[in-house]
Amino acid sequence: MEQQEQAPNIIIDLIKVTKLYTPDVHALTDITFSVNKGEMIFLTGRSGAGKTTLLKLISKVETPTKGMVEVDGIDIAKIPRRNLYSLRRKIGMAYQDFKLLPERTVAANIAVSMEVVYRKNSFIIKRTRELLEQLGLQSKINTPAAELSRGEQQRVAIARAVANYPEIILADEPTGNLDAETTGRVMSLFHDLHQQGATLLIATHDMSIYNDQHRVIQLEFGQQNSYQASGSDISTQATNY
Amino acid sequence: MSLLSSAFRHTGRNMLQTWKSQVMTLFTVSLSILIFSFFYLSYFNALHIGQELGDDLRLIVYLDEEPSPPLQEEYRRKIKKFDQVEQIVFVSRQEAFLRFEKQLGDDKDILLDIQQDFLPPSIEVYPIKTLDSLSRIKRFSDYLYTLPGVLKVQYGKDWIERFYSFIQLMRIIVILSGFLLIMTTTFMVAHTIRLTLLSRQRELELLRLVGATDNYIRMPFLFEGAFQGLIGACLGIGALYALYNWIILQFSGSSLFQLFPFSFLPLPIVAVLIVASTLLCSFGSFSSARKTLRL
Ligand SMILES: Nc1ncnc2c1ncn2[C@@H]1O[C@H](COP(=O)(O)OP(=O)(O)OP(=O)(O)O)[C@@H](O)[C@H]1O
Ligand SMILES: [Mg+2]
């Protein structure tokens, strides 16, 4: 069993993952890497390199053309549709296109991820307040999402992703529309969650948000190049096709 | 937050957003219930009339000869072979004469010169007063006529048979309108649920992304259907009750209702109608949600 061969602290494992969008878009080619429990990893690469695609493969929003994705030791391709919720509950994903419900308020948008796991109302209210305060959005709590600026929408999407304390947080360009101060707020939220044991995978163009200590996986034309941000390659598995 | 309370909240939200089609559906459901229950009410009351008429219903089988006791047994056996009956009475020539005499009363003098055995012996057959056996009365009579030694078979009045075929017709109408009810309500409910589903596709997709179970997503639609079935049935039966009272009022002067009491559907039947409509609509919405969401 492949589950038993793995080191026990690996939470996300990609093995030779290839994603082809029909007819011939090679979004990802032979990607292999693992993420340990409690790690905070950055995913970089040019626009179109396949960052979003990679995150979507991990939450099974897309399925790989070849290769295997394991989360928590489970080959996610084998999760039947009716049990998909168990994977999705482990993962909080902040989408690049936010996926907010435009006519709902900020509070309602954030509550969605907690409602589906039947959190108590008191918990939902407390957690929503706390997150909005941390992200500097207290005054917008009852504003419909459609009336927010992009930067505000982005923060609501992040709040929704992390609200239920997921084990894994996937953030797609979480600071793309933010100024330096607000970026700081978002990153300190992520650092807090990291401290509390969450595993984070953050796709970004923003070099200011990671430093020498972080592992960085760089995608180039759908192929990977991982290194410690300091520049010393720890593994280079780029393959040609 | 329990599954139920959040499902209720979602149901409320869904229904507010698509209130126009909700109203249309409610209207269709209540109209179908009204039509069906109106026919059923008519049928129900006709059955009661039938029971009262049935009391003096019997078949008289005239025989050419007085049957001996073993022959009587034989007749009994053959009659029961066709259908169950309530009672079989053999009337001898003598008895027939005495009855006739009694019927004539003061005029019995005219019988003085006549032989006491001029009337044929007969068998009186009282059929069971169920709709089934009563509706077969013509065939029963034809059958009895084929028995050996039978001169003639007479039964009630012709219009009783016609009345029962009317009831048969009513029954077919009730069944057909019930069928129609099932078709229209499930179709309409499934249709509105589909509209709701399509208008909320984005949200449902998101719910799935953040880890909602199939039940969490489906439940509000089940409730929506149940709600439409319940309210629709209550409105339809309410309308029927109003109609019933109106009819009573219209005919309050006439002697028709003194002859045949016209009553409303008993409570258990009303309850069954409401429950059936609720279940039906839940089923319609459930299967529609299943298909549209491909759950
Ligand atoms: N649904 C899709 N159908 C077809 N092609 C797609 C689809 N989604 C992405 N692609 C293609 O796959 C490649 C990788 O896209 P992806 O969105 O993963 O890039 P990205 O690294 O997230 O870019 P960005 O930094 O601009 O967000 C691109 O060439 C894109 O055009
Ligand atoms: Mg992207």
Side-chain angles (χ1 to χ4, degrees):
Chain A
M1 296 279 283
E2 56 260 321
Q3 274 98 326
Q4 277 143 11
E5 285 164 21
Q6 284 180 347
N9 59 343
I10 288 179
I11 190 158
I12 302 171
D13 205 5
L14 279 83
I15 301 162
K16 286 185 154 298
V17 173
T18 294
K19 176 66 181 177
L20 252 100
Y21 284 112
T22 43
D24 58 350
V25 183
H26 289 257
L28 293 170
T29 307
D30 273 347
I31 302 294
T32 299
F33 70 88
S34 331
V35 179
N36 289 328
K37 242 182 199 129
E39 249 190 315
M40 182 156 168
I41 297 188
F42 290 84
L43 196 58
T44 64
R46 240 177 261 166
S47 178
K51 303 180 293 297
T52 301
T53 304
L54 185 62
L55 296 183
K56 283 182 174 170
L57 289 178
I58 295 170
S59 53
K60 212 182 169 183
V61 176
E62 298 283 356
T63 47
T65 314
K66 267 195 277 175
M68 181 162 77
V69 180
E70 285 188 2
V71 174
D72 244 358
I74 298 165
D75 176 1
I76 63 170
K78 291 190 180 132
I79 301 176
R81 193 182 157 85
R82 65 174 185 284
N83 288 338
L84 206 52
Y85 71 92
S86 62
L87 173 72
R88 299 274 171 79
R89 285 176 184 188
K90 277 181 208 161
I91 298 173
M93 179 150 173
Y95 291 89
Q96 194 169 12
D97 55 356
F98 313 144
K99 297 199 193 298
L100 299 179
L101 301 171
E103 72 283 9
R104 303 278 184 84
T105 64
V106 166
N109 268 287
I110 296 174
V112 167
S113 64
M114 295 179 275
E115 281 171 1
V116 298
V117 294
Y118 314 122
R119 289 284 197 181
K120 283 202 181 70
N121 255 330
S122 54
F123 175 93
I124 295 176
I125 291 166
K126 186 168 152 281
R127 182 71 175 139
T128 304
R129 289 238 176 84
E130 186 181 290
L131 284 167
L132 289 179
E133 198 171 324
Q134 206 163 355
L135 295 171
L137 277 176
Q138 305 95 305
S139 61
K140 304 286 183 185
I141 187 162
N142 289 318
T143 309
E147 293 170 20
L148 299 175
S149 75
R150 287 195 56 83
E152 287 164 341
Q153 291 183 352
Q154 183 153 48
R155 281 173 281 161
V156 174
I158 292 166
R160 186 183 63 200
V162 305
N164 201 40
Y165 299 104
E167 276 178 75
I168 300 168
I169 295 164
L170 306 177
D172 200 352
E173 301 282 2
T175 61
N177 300 285
L178 306 180
D179 58 82
E181 195 221 315
T182 324
T183 299
R185 283 175 181 270
V186 170
M187 287 318 293
S188 91
L189 172 65
F190 283 159
H191 283 296
D192 289 351
L193 291 161
H194 184 220
Q195 291 301 308
Q196 290 162 29
T199 307
L200 289 96
L201 191 51
I202 302 169
T204 187
H205 292 293
D206 186 351
M207 283 164 54
S208 74
I209 63 172
Y210 54 90
N211 58 38
D212 295 1
Q213 270 87 61
H214 297 120
R215 182 143 76 102
V216 176
I217 295 167
Q218 190 173 25
L219 294 173
E220 258 174 63
F221 308 115
Q223 302 183 48
Q224 85 191 92
N225 201 353
S226 359
Y227 60 96
Q228 207 76 27
S230 56
S232 59
D233 283 10
I234 49 166
S235 60
T236 306
Q237 286 153 317
T239 32
N240 293 311
Y241 54 92
Chain B
M1 270 285 158
S2 70
L3 175 58
L4 282 186
S5 70
S6 64
F8 274 127
R9 273 187 337 125
H10 283 134
T11 311
R13 203 149 54 193
N14 288 351
M15 295 188 73
L16 278 182
Q17 275 203 352
T18 51
W19 68 270
K20 273 184 207 149
S21 49
Q22 302 289 343
V23 170
M24 279 295 293
T25 307
L26 268 186
F27 183 74
T28 318
V29 173
S30 26
L31 196 65
S32 326
I33 291 275
L34 174 65
I35 292 170
F36 173 75
S37 59
F38 176 75
F39 285 131
Y40 191 76
L41 180 70
S42 316
Y43 172 70
F44 179 79
N45 278 288
L47 266 185
H48 274 255
I49 297 171
Q51 261 156 23
E52 296 196 354
L53 292 177
D55 284 347
D56 58 12
L57 183 75
R58 62 181 177 210
L59 292 132
I60 302 169
V61 184
Y62 292 104
L63 304 171
D64 57 355
E65 260 172 68
E66 199 88 56
S68 58
L71 199 56
Q72 286 189 7
E73 255 339 284
E74 184 70 13
Y75 274 126
R76 251 181 229 285
R77 205 176 53 74
K78 286 199 171 143
I79 289 169
K80 285 184 177 155
K81 216 170 86 184
F82 181 84
D83 206 351
Q84 288 207 300
V85 292
E86 219 166 75
Q87 208 188 357
I88 298 172
V89 179
F90 286 87
V91 181
S92 66
R93 286 180 203 278
Q94 182 69 31
E95 282 165 321
F97 184 79
L98 290 176
R99 275 196 202 174
F100 191 42
E101 203 177 46
K102 215 167 160 192
Q103 270 176 14
L104 288 173
D106 290 345
D107 298 330
K108 65 180 172 188
D109 301 352
I110 54 166
L111 293 176
L112 278 175
D113 297 343
I114 299 170
Q115 280 193 327
Q116 292 213 344
D117 59 357
F118 84 101
L119 285 169
S122 62
I123 312 171
E124 287 177 352
V125 179
Y126 294 83
I128 293 180
K129 271 146 211 139
T130 64
L131 199 59
D132 266 349
S133 66
L134 291 178
S135 66
R136 284 202 295 268
I137 198 151
K138 172 91 171 66
R139 274 198 284 141
F140 199 4
S141 132
D142 291 346
Y143 169 77
L144 293 176
Y145 189 65
T146 64
L147 298 181
V150 172
L151 293 175
K152 188 180 171 191
V153 181
Q154 235 177 30
Y155 63 94
K157 298 140 201 151
D158 256 5
W159 63 270
I160 287 183
E161 193 196 329
R162 257 181 255 133
F163 178 75
Y164 282 110
S165 48
F166 166 70
I167 286 192
Q168 281 288 57
L169 182 72
M170 285 292 297
R171 177 151 65 168
I172 291 167
I173 290 176
V174 167
I175 290 169
L176 281 182
S177 69
F179 189 67
L180 198 75
L181 167 102
I182 291 173
M183 297 293 282
T184 49
T185 49
T186 43
F187 175 78
M188 271 308 279
V189 169
H191 180 71
T192 28
I193 296 284
R194 224 180 111 73
L195 281 186
T196 318
L197 285 167
L198 293 178
S199 75
R200 315 198 71 77
Q201 201 134 47
R202 246 178 97 130
E203 181 188 348
L204 300 179
E205 208 43 60
L206 177 74
L207 285 176
R208 193 164 284 149
L209 286 178
V210 296
T213 58
D214 286 350
N215 274 337
Y216 183 92
I217 294 171
R218 231 165 10 196
M219 200 73 102
F221 299 101
L222 191 65
F223 283 164
E224 185 175 325
F227 185 78
Q228 281 166 340
L230 181 70
I231 302 295
C234 290
L235 287 178
I237 288 178
L240 180 71
Y241 191 67
L243 186 67
Y244 165 79
N245 279 317
W246 182 79
I247 292 173
I248 293 280
L249 210 68
Q250 291 300 304
F251 293 91
S252 59
S254 89
S255 56
L256 187 66
F257 287 151
Q258 272 131 40
L259 218 60
F260 306 116
F262 183 58
S263 56
F264 196 64
L265 297 175
L267 220 53
I269 289 182
V270 169
V272 165
L273 274 175
I274 291 176
V275 169
S277 158
T278 308
L279 288 180
L280 208 62
C281 294
S282 313
F283 171 76
S285 71
F286 192 77
S287 65
S288 169
R290 215 186 156 81
K291 248 185 278 162
T292 314
L293 297 173
R294 292 178 301 273
L295 289 179

